[in-house]
Amino acid sequence: MGIPADQLIGMIEAAGDKPPAGDPLDRFFQTSYDFPAEGDRIHRRYRGMVETHASRFHDPELSIARAPGRVNLIGEHTDYNGLPVFPMAVNRDMAAVFAPRRDRTVVIANTQQEFGERSFDIQENIAPYATGDWGNYCKAAVQGLLDFYRKKRRPANKLCGFQATIDGDIPIAAGMSSSSALVVLCALIFLASNRLDLQSDADRRLELADLLAAAERYVGTQGGGMDQAISLMGKAGHAVRIDFFPLATRPAPLPESCAVVVANSTVSAAKSTEALDKYNRRPIECRLAAAVLKRIFSRHYDREVPISLLGDLKQEKLAIAEPEIWEIADKALHEEPYTLEEIAGVLGQSAEKTAALYCKRRDGSIFPEPADRFKLRQRYRHVVEEGRRVERSVQALEAGDVAGFGQLMNRSHESCRDLYEISTPELDRLVTIAREAGAVGSRLTGAGFGGCTVSLVEKQKVEPFIRQVMQNYYREYLGREDRGFDDLIFPCRAAGGAALFAAP
Ligand code: GLA
């Protein structure tokens, strides 16, 4: 399967520069990158991968794949609550050249030295590497697909491994989803290597996205489904509204007049290591808030009211008029943070049972009550208000109301800071500086606790904007003296979703 390495280099060199011709490799490049603007860089990257691969492995034929990172424009921590998000896939990705193996071993190498080679065997239960190891994202994808195909009577011993050389240009631990892009990439490679198709049309991609969202929990984070879905369903020039349970996507064109600029706070936000408990605390608090609301609604209506997620608080689901829902919900939760004991009291069960039902980590241990207790009302308010902001943002964008969209981004940041408490002083500073430098709207993006901000900036102001943020944030606030910050602050283009070029 694939194309001989030297021929592939020649084809890559020629690809993308001509108008789209229906040639699958051309299509791969044209939907993924901005030609001719990015041509040289992209050719260099792929040539580098092919050469690195050829020097390590001896595959007569190679295929290529890519999975983009994303920037979330608005809708933070709403996905696992069943409320929408509004991200775009970006022209930065995890890409690979690869070939299937005859045995059941997976070997992944990386063009970046710091990510050492990893290899593991395909078996029913693949044990993870140490927490935070980059190889775990590949294991997560393979394990997820093994579980899926086992149910379809295709057991692990009927599937082959692969060897791949990976190159990523998504900033790591920066809230741009480098980890989910790696999961999606490895899934595409594993599928192609076994001639399995779960990606060739939108319905299959949605199924794959759902499967991979669950699969990524292998690394311990209790994340939602946004990152895998946008990596698979991105559309060039568009942001994509994503709804959950069931997963559905709707692209909306981005305004011609504006650019999306990402700025890295340089505070690392590795949600599979340092930020793991900080991240996981939020879904736990949301589940507890939903459980308390369910109890209070059920008591009020003297029937079982079906609330298992905060996103269930809607008329169609509960058969209760919207104003009534908000009246009851707003009174149900108090400002004062809750002890586990109090929550257990409301639910009418022991603290142990409550913890076992709602506060479990992946390894089975119990997430302890935080020193500042469970902030149910604050988390609930952020989630439902953020869900409404997403709806209004999509409408604003569709109506060409860029200023309105920017305002909603600003409100979202405040809510992430004050109610969901996922910002940091650096992110707050960066957002303020971005607004002073002329951003129409600016907010933290992704899980939070560090990472990047996203700003909407009028196209003709992008250069002075970037210069001013470099001066005021990187030089003055962070006191950095190095010159170029091009890898820390850059405009992003909305790119197409993950792509595969595997010639038969
Ligand atoms: C991480 C998770 C996503 C989502 C965001 C916050 O990126 O992987 O599912 O919850 O945080 O919006």
Side-chain angles (χ1 to χ4, degrees):
M1 186 181 83
I3 292 190
D6 47 348
Q7 204 180 322
L8 185 62
I9 291 189
M11 287 169 72
I12 287 170
E13 234 85 296
D17 290 336
K18 41 187 192 275
D23 173 329
L25 189 65
D26 261 350
R27 219 175 28 245
F28 176 98
F29 281 105
Q30 301 252 355
T31 55
S32 308
Y33 306 105
D34 198 2
F35 282 94
E38 293 184 294
D40 284 349
R41 188 176 74 84
I42 298 306
H43 292 157
R44 237 180 296 122
R45 252 183 100 198
Y46 278 82
R47 191 178 337 110
M49 272 184 274
V50 173
E51 286 168 0
T52 312
H53 192 85
S55 67
R56 163 71 182 85
F57 306 103
H58 303 284
D59 291 314
E61 294 181 334
L62 294 173
S63 299
I64 55 179
R66 69 174 280 274
R70 59 103 185 97
V71 44
N72 190 18
L73 300 179
I74 193 160
E76 226 59 86
H77 290 261
T78 43
D79 57 355
Y80 51 79
N81 287 296
L83 289 169
V85 294
F86 197 39
M88 65 187 219
V90 294
N91 53 333
R92 295 191 166 228
D93 59 23
M94 304 298 278
V97 300
F98 69 95
R101 286 173 64 102
R102 283 172 204 281
D103 59 13
R104 284 193 276 135
T105 303
V106 169
V107 187
I108 48 169
N110 200 301
T111 54
Q112 286 164 275
Q113 300 264 305
E114 64 265 40
F115 300 105
E117 185 172 302
R118 297 286 180 271
S119 120
F120 61 91
D121 285 335
I122 294 173
Q123 53 197 5
E124 280 210 5
N125 290 305
I126 303 170
Y129 296 113
T131 307
D133 192 290
W134 80 286
N136 279 337
Y137 295 101
C138 183
K139 287 187 167 181
V142 172
Q143 181 74 67
L145 288 167
L146 288 177
D147 296 344
F148 177 79
Y149 283 105
R150 188 182 310 128
K151 287 188 211 127
K152 298 198 175 296
R153 299 178 187 285
R154 183 104 189 222
N157 62 8
K158 293 266 166 29
L159 294 165
C160 75
F162 60 82
Q163 47 204 27
T165 300
I166 296 173
D167 179 81
D169 66 355
I170 310 169
I172 308 282
M176 291 188 74
S177 244
S178 56
S179 39
S180 300
L182 183 54
V183 172
V184 171
L185 178 77
C186 291
L188 290 190
I189 296 174
F190 184 61
L191 288 166
S193 299
N194 285 288
R195 295 171 195 279
L196 295 166
D197 177 17
L198 209 51
Q199 58 89 30
S200 60
D201 61 34
D203 285 347
R204 270 177 265 205
R205 281 189 172 224
L206 289 175
E207 188 174 7
L208 179 58
D210 254 341
L211 182 166
L212 294 178
E216 194 173 324
R217 306 215 177 100
Y218 178 92
V219 305
T221 34
Q222 302 184 13
M226 159 166 66
D227 308 343
Q228 303 78 8
I230 188 64
S231 188
L232 282 157
M233 303 297 292
K235 181 167 176 197
H238 292 67
V240 181
R241 173 180 166 151
I242 306 178
D243 287 89
F244 301 90
F245 318 123
L247 189 60
T249 55
R250 202 180 89 204
L254 285 161
E256 286 291 327
S257 59
C258 282
V260 171
V261 181
V262 163
N264 192 333
S265 70
T266 76
V267 178
S268 163
K271 67 180 190 302
S272 69
T273 51
E274 310 102 79
L276 182 67
D277 267 355
K278 288 193 208 155
Y279 182 92
N280 284 346
R281 172 176 171 179
R282 271 63 187 178
I284 289 171
E285 289 177 311
C286 291
R287 287 200 293 270
L288 289 168
V292 168
L293 287 168
K294 180 188 167 101
R295 184 74 184 189
I296 290 172
F297 271 78
S298 299
R299 234 187 265 146
H300 185 93
Y301 289 99
D302 198 20
R303 66 170 165 101
E304 167 132 348
V305 178
I307 302 170
S308 52
L309 300 169
L310 291 176
D312 291 337
L313 294 165
K314 50 180 142 199
Q315 191 161 333
E316 314 87 90
K317 176 91 190 187
L318 306 188
I320 302 171
E322 203 90 349
E324 211 169 303
I325 296 181
W326 301 122
E327 206 192 311
I328 299 173
D330 280 341
K331 279 198 217 119
L333 299 168
H334 54 68
E335 285 290 330
E336 191 59 26
Y338 289 68
T339 60
L340 186 65
E341 205 67 43
E342 182 184 358
I343 297 168
V346 177
L347 299 182
Q349 64 198 17
S350 70
E352 290 68 34
K353 177 148 187 227
T354 307
L357 280 174
Y358 302 101
C359 309
K360 268 227 177 94
R361 296 194 184 94
R362 187 174 191 277
D363 64 7
S365 62
I366 297 288
F367 188 95
E369 179 182 302
D372 55 351
R373 304 190 174 163
F374 291 113
K375 301 197 176 176
L376 302 194
R377 181 172 176 79
Q378 293 78 351
R379 308 312 188 220
Y380 147 82
R381 274 194 49 210
H382 166 79
V383 168
V384 300
E385 289 167 13
E386 185 78 351
R388 285 183 210 140
R389 275 189 289 268
V390 173
E391 311 241 349
R392 287 166 55 205
S393 301
V394 178
Q395 286 159 5
L397 212 57
E398 284 171 346
D401 178 10
V402 172
F405 187 77
Q407 290 288 330
L408 289 160
M409 289 175 76
N410 293 343
R411 295 293 86 75
S412 165
H413 181 80
E414 283 151 21
S415 178
C416 287
R417 181 191 63 204
D418 302 336
L419 295 175
Y420 224 61
E421 298 180 289
I422 54 171
S423 191
T424 66
E426 295 82 359
L427 286 166
D428 292 340
R429 187 77 204 121
L430 190 47
V431 157
T432 306
I433 288 172
R435 291 182 198 155
E436 286 164 2
V440 184
S442 186
R443 54 182 296 279
L444 68 82
T445 184
F449 313 111
C452 290
T453 61
V454 55
S455 303
L456 199 63
V457 183
E458 281 171 44
K459 272 194 184 141
Q460 81 265 23
K461 292 193 188 156
V462 167
E463 273 179 39
F465 170 83
I466 289 182
R467 267 202 308 277
Q468 190 167 331
V469 177
M470 282 184 177
Q471 179 58 29
N472 294 357
Y473 184 73
Y474 297 103
R475 292 201 186 89
E476 278 174 21
Y477 181 76
L478 292 186
R480 287 176 67 144
E481 285 172 3
D482 38 329
R483 299 236 127 225
F485 302 109
D486 297 346
D487 54 335
L488 295 178
I489 175 165
F490 46 84
C492 275
R493 199 176 53 79
L500 183 68
F501 174 71

